[in-house]
Amino acid sequence: MKTISLRNYTCEIFRKANRFSVQQPLGLFLLFSSFLSFSAYAQDKDSIQSKMVELNEVTVSSVRVTEKTPVTFSNLQQKEINTRNLGQDIPILMNYMPSVVTTSDAGNGVGYTGIRVRGSDASRVNVTINGIPYNDSESHGTYWVNMPDFASSLQSIQLQRGVGTSTNGAGAFGASLNMLTEAPSKVGGGEISNSYGSYDTRKHTVKFTTGLSDKGFELSGRLSKLNSDGYIDRASSDLKSYFLQGNYVGKTTSIKALVFGGKEITYQAWNGIDADRLKTNRRYNPSGKYTDVNGNTRFHDNEVDNYQQDHAQMHWYETVDSNWKTHLAFHYTKGKGFYENYQAESNFLDYGLTPLTISGTIINTTDLIRQKWLDNHFYGTVFSANYKKEKLDFIVGGGANKYEGNHFGKVIWARYASGSQTTDKYYDDSAYKTDGNIYTKANYQATEKLSVYGDLQFRNVNYKTNGGAPGVVNDHFNFFNPKAGLTYAVNTKNSIYTSYARANREPNRTDYENGSPKSERLDDIELGWRYATEKTKVNVNGFYMMYKNQLVLTGDLNEVGSPIRKNSGDSHRLGLEIDATILLSKKFVWRPNITLSTNKNKDFYSEIDGVLVDLGNTNISYSPNVIAGNIFTLLPIKNMQISWLSKYVGEQYMGNVDSKVSKLDSYFINDLNAVYEIKTNSVFKTIAISFLVNNILNKKYVSNGYYYTYNDDWSNPGSVKTIEGTGYYPQATRNFLLGLQLKF
């Protein structure tokens, strides 16, 4: 692989402006002064023969966009990922991208992490890997913990904000995130990476590649192991993962086959803490708490989430002629695991147990330990064909996928129960989902300056369950999602674009568990301006997202920490995004971004003190009006870079009723990242030393929480009073990670 110095790599960004969508803050941004600094990097491409570069071309064109497409997007390249890839998960590595807010259950970015884009939660961010859907079919969520250290096997990430273009999987209601695995390398080599940091966080990674042989074959792979105690008490992570990829590059045929997966065991930290505990002991973790027979408070040792997920993909790329290229892929995902809980004073009947009589006394409740299992399969195919000739770039594609999930529970121990009773499953239900779609996209260069874009998708979804928590469900959906837009090149430096896109989305499993949800619809209008010179890149984008029956987060959680949602009728998000990359000098790069928005439910109703009240227009939960980021990168000497990264997230409500109790305070955090590469002529080609200090100013902040209400009044049984409650997920104070990377 070609080696690029940090300084040359930084400067390269200004010669490849077409690979970036960048943003810059307004005057408000200057008020905060020290805004986030993104490492200034350009696209990391192997300088290998054109056939290798074309290996993923059809996949990229079918799910990704460029400046000629009227879609708002940002790219995160391999070099940029690597500077901070010291153990934290992919959402945390994306934290400084525009309109992004991230959180971590354990507090330090290892284990369960989450991401929101434009205020939309992770279940609305459509995620694909090489064009293959990754979101869980039932929950729509993305469980990054199931792919530990997957960032080490990525070539690039593209985040399309808004509806974006048609893609495979569930529709995007906040963003589309597509990840591309590493391209084949021209030469063989290997890499050993190790990092260590606060809370006994450790990451060990070994990678190799055979390089492309004369006959066009290459094999590459990775093994990773991560461990962390977590910032939150007992929020430990024991993570293992693997990645193996084979490539064949011929004259007209290219084949990519890969298998990857991970095993995670994480101590649960999804319960959060209340406001009083946040003030007195913010690292406290109530998960697993129980009282033993002697009245002592203890914590269950195995209060863990234990899950393994394995993936297989096969991609076949064919160059038919100078105009046509095709892509056909097959995939299979197998997941199986459980989470375990200690449950105090549980009712026998709730678990299919028979009450006992002990010394003449009927025992109806017992302490017990339960496991809730998920055994699932996801498989299918995606395909696309790309036609390019002169002014027309046309794509037709689609996919057909099926999900089969078995949910069941076991009681593995009970204080009062016979062994035979605890061996049976106390619930056992299955779910099935089919998802098929077909789409066409076209970019037509109508004139020298005007490009016209059109995108039509039809999607069919069928979801069935045979009981369990959601009951019996048998729903069918047919969605039509049109998109269109224009891009106009004013001159060589300026271009403007506008687009309209519609997305429809089905409810998830948790929505069915909490009622009779409706599908939701989004109409998204985007208007943007791109400016590019050798030293400055700016992107300004306005958006108006209009929702019908949006499934907004209520703020409450179910017993496994999954957010509870409900349809809100009409709602909207209106905002402005600005980001930029500015080369202040050969040694100093500035990359700021800011998002200003208003996010409203229209005529929102809520039950207060037993009465349904029209609250009018309220703020949509978890939608801050200001999100800003900044990265200052200094290149003081050859092969060394130092970046100061900052993030500001404005206050936000955890519910939709504008209750002051539900408000999360704003926060402003700063990180320091330094990388130094040593070129050698010995065994190792390069030795890279990385240092990352997270939250360097030691800010005590909370990035996520939950809000709930219930009706009660113990002092006056004849009345109904709404009681409010909150929970919080504190994030780590100052902490560090130190890494050493050896390439040979």
Side-chain angles (χ1 to χ4, degrees), residues 520-727:
E520 45 187 344
R521 188 185 74 208
L522 166 61
D523 292 290
D524 181 19
I525 298 174
E526 308 267 336
L527 177 63
W529 165 57
R530 295 184 177 113
Y531 172 79
T533 67
E534 288 189 358
K535 294 186 177 182
T536 303
K537 312 289 180 284
V538 180
N539 187 68
V540 179
N541 182 72
F543 61 88
Y544 185 38
M545 305 169 72
M546 298 165 284
Y547 296 87
K548 184 69 176 180
N549 293 321
Q550 181 180 185
L551 284 160
V552 297
L553 300 175
T554 66
D556 205 355
L557 307 177
N558 65 13
E559 62 177 3
V560 298
S562 295
I564 294 174
R565 312 185 303 179
K566 70 174 183 179
N567 294 112
S568 68
D570 294 332
S571 55
H572 72 262
R573 302 181 189 275
L574 174 66
L576 178 69
E577 299 166 320
I578 310 174
D579 70 280
T581 299
I582 304 170
L583 183 62
L584 299 174
S585 71
K586 291 183 179 180
K587 294 187 176 183
F588 194 22
V589 183
W590 181 30
R591 292 185 65 183
N593 67 72
I594 190 168
T595 300
L596 306 173
S597 65
T598 176
N599 311 273
K600 298 291 185 179
N601 299 299
K602 182 179 179 181
D603 297 328
F604 192 81
Y605 284 80
S606 181
E607 185 175 319
I608 300 176
D609 296 341
V611 178
L612 196 62
V613 178
D614 182 358
L615 298 176
N617 296 344
T618 64
N619 289 284
I620 299 176
S621 58
Y622 302 100
S623 300
N625 292 337
V626 181
I627 304 171
N630 189 72
I631 300 180
F632 289 115
T633 298
L634 176 66
L635 307 170
I637 60 175
K638 185 178 180 180
N639 298 328
M640 183 177 186
Q641 78 164 40
I642 302 172
S643 296
W644 184 276
L645 305 94
S646 308
K647 186 79 175 185
Y648 175 82
V649 177
E651 63 183 21
Q652 55 191 300
Y653 290 95
M654 297 185 290
N656 296 279
V657 296
D658 287 357
S659 169
K660 293 182 179 179
V661 173
S662 72
K663 186 179 289 187
L664 275 181
D665 292 336
S666 62
Y667 59 87
F668 178 54
I669 57 171
N670 296 267
D671 298 344
L672 177 65
N673 182 211
V675 181
Y676 181 59
E677 287 184 350
I678 304 170
K679 310 292 183 179
T680 69
N681 295 318
S682 58
V683 176
F684 301 108
K685 294 179 181 178
T686 62
I687 300 174
I689 301 171
S690 303
F691 185 59
L692 175 63
V693 184
N694 297 297
N695 195 4
I696 192 170
L697 301 182
N698 207 33
K699 172 73 174 179
K700 291 183 177 179
Y701 73 103
V702 176
S703 62
N704 193 23
Y706 55 89
Y707 167 76
Y708 60 92
T709 62
Y710 61 94
N711 292 324
D712 210 346
D713 189 349
W714 294 105
S715 62
N716 186 1
S719 68
V720 177
K721 183 175 179 60
T722 298
I723 308 298
E724 299 176 288
T726 55

Side-chain angles (χ1 to χ4, degrees), residues 249-518:
V249 182
K251 291 183 179 180
T252 61
T253 301
S254 299
I255 296 175
K256 173 189 282 191
L258 60 155
V259 291
F260 59 92
K263 174 67 182 286
E264 60 91 6
I265 302 177
T266 55
Y267 197 97
Q268 295 167 24
W270 57 50
N271 291 315
I273 56 176
D274 60 29
D276 291 337
R277 189 73 71 171
L278 181 64
K279 296 176 183 177
T280 59
N281 183 9
R282 67 195 318 268
R283 299 181 67 175
Y284 178 76
N285 184 4
S287 297
K289 182 180 178 180
Y290 70 97
T291 303
D292 66 17
V293 292
N294 298 317
N296 300 313
T297 298
R298 301 184 62 182
F299 294 91
H300 179 45
D301 291 337
N302 204 45
E303 191 89 356
V304 300
D305 187 68
N306 186 324
Y307 192 79
Q308 179 163 344
Q309 192 175 77
D310 300 286
H311 302 254
Q313 297 182 3
M314 172 70 79
H315 300 264
W316 176 22
Y317 309 85
E318 189 71 27
T319 300
V320 180
D321 55 33
S322 59
N323 302 124
W324 281 98
K325 294 178 182 178
T326 63
H327 169 229
L328 176 64
F330 298 95
H331 66 89
Y332 172 69
T333 300
K334 165 66 175 176
K336 187 174 183 178
F338 64 89
Y339 75 89
E340 184 171 307
N341 287 121
Y342 189 103
Q343 297 283 76
E345 298 185 2
S346 298
N347 192 298
F348 275 74
L349 298 180
D350 291 340
Y351 292 88
L353 303 176
T354 303
L356 301 177
T357 301
I358 301 177
S359 301
T361 302
I362 298 176
I363 306 297
N364 293 306
T365 62
T366 180
D367 289 4
L368 56 82
I369 299 173
R370 68 179 184 182
Q371 290 181 347
K372 287 195 166 186
W373 283 80
L374 176 60
D375 185 358
N376 55 7
H377 307 264
F378 178 61
Y379 51 91
T381 181
V382 301
F383 58 88
S384 62
N386 185 199
Y387 174 80
K388 285 185 180 181
K389 186 175 182 180
E390 298 175 350
K391 298 180 179 181
L392 179 63
D393 187 349
F394 174 79
I395 298 171
V396 59
N401 306 294
K402 186 173 183 178
Y403 170 88
E404 301 173 0
N406 186 22
H407 303 258
F408 59 92
K410 297 179 180 179
V411 175
I412 63 171
W413 173 86
R415 189 180 303 281
Y416 303 113
S418 65
S420 60
Q421 286 183 303
T422 60
T423 58
D424 297 331
K425 297 177 181 178
Y426 67 92
Y427 72 91
D428 191 355
D429 65 89
S430 299
Y432 306 90
K433 185 175 183 179
T434 59
D435 185 344
N437 81 96
I438 188 167
Y439 60 82
T440 61
K441 306 178 188 180
N443 242 323
Y444 180 70
Q445 197 69 37
T447 69
E448 183 180 351
K449 293 187 175 183
L450 180 64
S451 176
V452 181
Y453 175 77
D455 184 338
L456 302 174
Q457 183 197 50
F458 177 78
R459 181 166 175 254
N460 173 263
V461 180
N462 297 278
Y463 180 57
K464 297 180 180 181
T465 66
N466 63 2
V472 176
V473 178
N474 188 4
D475 256 356
H476 309 273
F477 303 93
N478 290 303
F479 297 135
F480 176 60
N481 302 312
K483 306 170 183 69
L486 302 171
T487 301
Y488 183 76
V490 180
N491 51 43
T492 57
K493 297 179 181 179
N494 296 274
S495 65
I496 56 176
Y497 64 88
T498 185
S499 66
Y500 162 79
R502 169 167 288 187
N504 290 274
R505 192 175 178 89
E506 71 278 11
N508 66 22
R509 181 183 176 91
T510 304
D511 299 329
Y512 284 105
E513 291 176 356
N514 293 285
S516 301
K518 302 175 183 177

